[in-house]
Amino acid sequence: MSATQRQRGDQPAVEPAAGDRSEEEIELTYCVVNTGQRELLLRGLDAIASERASLPFATEVLVLDNDSRDGSARAAGEHSVVDCVVALSQRRGKALNDSELLRRARGRYALLLNEDSELRSGATLALHEALEQRPDAACAGARLLRADGSAQASAWRFPTPLSALAGALLLHRLLNVQSRGAHTRAVDWCQSAALLVRRTAAEEVDYLDGDFFVYSDEVDFARRLRDAGWRSLYVPAAVALHHEQLSTGALGERRIVEMARNRDLYMRKHHSRAAAAVVRWLTAWAYALRALAALLLPGHEPRRYWRHVLATLKPARGEGLREAAEEHNSRPPRTAPAGEHGGAGQHAGRSGEHGGGTGESDRG
């Protein structure tokens, strides 16, 4: 397959893979968004290939490359499992990119995946069966594991002043985390690292809200689905390995700013300015406690937690990942040398710093 061409206008360039599946009735579409993580993307696509071969229904694989400039789009286009590559010429936020793929998907269901998500055997079928058995459910989230095999919290209660209070009292894992147990259960929201979505439900609420550049986007999505009468499910039988790509330095600072501003946006959108203010102070208190504890615990960075405190209290200040994307877009594209790997992009990984227990994990 030839290299995917980039389009210079507002619309992304699209190139289908060699095998035309237009005559098949697609049941499920794999939707993968990639930002500068070519090697992780390829590992995830290999896992999709293994899954796809064992499914009893027709599927398709769409990859959206978020202007990676590291050869990701070409690599995806040359992968045997990929049916279509959407190559952006300008970097955009996660919510807009997920919505783009949801609109393009032909399947009844769409499985949203980060480029750093690697499905374990049987994950697709377990998620599909969960939504088939619950016609009132719009989303089904997988059980996420870190690279070392440890469990990662992946389903949460919706953020409220009460959930923030639980975090301030250091009870967030007990009261706010919902990804527990061995059986499928209804939850408030699941992380979108591996999230199966009923496309008719997504269309009903007009997909994800692009005002959330990254962070809180899937929380807002699940909340609007709940308001429309839909439910979300946590499916522990579906397992995905989530390679958390953490950012340090200037990009890490931007990630903290972006998380705080979108947490505040969610609270103001779904609650009130007063509730948002309460959550800011309770969440800042939780981070302050962690900063104090980090002074005594080896391997922790007090300054990082304190930066969360400042960003939480002043979410309108500072430059986040949205500004990083704007800077990226202002630079002319370059051709990546042979063998160069990505990693400088604003990858949406999660570090598990659950500030204040508001049901938001650290993705940046």
Side-chain angles (χ1 to χ4, degrees):
M1 174 177 161
S2 62
T4 303
Q5 297 179 341
R6 296 181 182 273
Q7 184 167 323
R8 296 300 176 185
D10 293 334
Q11 296 299 316
V14 179
E15 181 173 323
D20 184 2
R21 303 176 187 270
S22 59
E23 296 182 359
E24 297 182 85
E25 183 175 348
I26 304 299
E27 174 70 4
L28 184 147
T29 301
Y30 292 94
C31 299
V32 186
V33 174
N34 170 71
T35 303
Q37 297 290 336
R38 181 174 59 186
E39 298 309 314
L40 285 176
L41 170 65
L42 293 177
R43 289 180 60 171
L45 292 176
D46 289 343
I48 290 174
S50 297
E51 282 283 273
R52 194 180 192 185
S54 63
L55 294 175
F57 46 75
T59 64
E60 64 177 351
V61 180
L62 309 183
V63 174
L64 185 148
D65 183 69
N66 200 22
D67 194 25
S68 296
R69 304 183 185 182
D70 69 341
S72 289
R74 178 186 293 272
E78 293 173 348
H79 198 287
S80 61
V81 79
V82 176
D83 295 292
C84 181
V85 176
V86 180
L88 301 186
S89 59
Q90 294 280 293
R91 185 158 291 178
R92 302 190 311 198
K94 183 71 161 55
L96 282 177
N97 289 339
D98 279 342
S99 295
E100 173 91 26
L101 290 180
L102 284 169
R103 288 186 173 94
R104 291 177 179 272
R106 293 184 293 161
R108 288 202 305 130
Y109 299 107
L111 181 47
L112 301 181
L113 294 165
N114 292 347
E115 72 276 72
D116 65 345
S117 301
E118 191 173 334
L119 295 173
R120 292 284 180 87
S121 178
T124 304
L125 195 57
L127 292 170
H128 180 268
E129 289 178 349
L131 289 189
E132 285 285 277
Q133 293 170 6
R134 287 287 301 268
D136 64 331
C139 299
R143 177 163 62 95
L144 301 180
L145 302 178
R146 298 184 179 89
D148 62 4
S150 62
Q152 179 184 7
S154 53
W156 299 79
R157 294 191 185 279
F158 287 127
T160 65
L162 284 178
S163 68
L165 178 61
L169 297 175
L170 304 183
L171 297 174
H172 54 285
R173 292 191 180 277
L174 176 64
L175 299 179
N176 293 339
V177 175
Q178 295 184 317
S179 50
R180 55 171 59 94
H183 302 287
T184 297
R185 57 179 298 197
V187 297
D188 284 357
W189 68 275
C190 298
Q191 288 190 23
S192 61
L195 184 70
L196 187 64
V197 177
R198 194 183 301 271
R199 282 208 310 117
T200 53
E203 183 179 6
E204 180 180 331
V205 299
D206 198 24
Y207 307 99
L208 285 82
D209 185 349
D211 286 344
F212 295 87
F213 189 82
V214 65
Y215 298 120
S216 296
D217 49 323
E218 70 264 69
V219 193
D220 169 77
F221 183 51
R223 173 60 187 269
R224 289 187 290 113
L225 285 166
R226 172 70 66 89
D227 292 344
W230 296 96
R231 295 293 181 263
S232 294
L233 303 176
Y234 166 65
V235 186
V239 181
L241 193 64
H242 191 200
H243 300 277
E244 299 174 295
Q245 300 300 295
L246 307 183
S247 304
T248 58
L251 191 58
E253 294 286 316
R254 290 177 181 270
R255 182 160 55 87
I256 291 169
V257 170
E258 196 70 40
M259 188 195 326
R261 68 164 57 146
N262 286 286
R263 181 196 304 120
D264 196 64
L265 172 60
Y266 174 91
M267 290 303 303
R268 288 185 286 107
K269 177 177 179 178
H270 292 286
H271 295 275
S272 65
R273 290 186 177 275
V278 170
V279 168
R280 286 198 299 271
W281 282 99
L282 289 173
T283 304
W285 170 257
Y287 276 124
L289 291 179
R290 286 160 174 78
L292 290 175
L295 292 171
L296 304 175
L297 298 175
H300 292 264
E301 300 180 30
R303 182 184 177 279
R304 181 179 181 81
Y305 287 114
W306 186 248
R307 185 67 188 89
H308 275 286
V309 172
L310 298 178
T312 297
L313 291 175
K314 299 291 185 181
R317 292 187 180 180
E319 294 189 343
L321 296 180
R322 185 184 294 273
E323 289 78 15
E326 292 170 356
E327 292 177 11
H328 170 92
N329 294 336
S330 69
R331 297 191 295 268
R334 63 181 179 85
T335 302
E340 178 180 329
H341 302 287
Q346 56 207 60
H347 173 78
R350 296 179 182 266
S351 72
E353 294 176 11
H354 306 296
T358 59
E360 177 185 84
S361 47
D362 195 357
R363 180 183 63 183

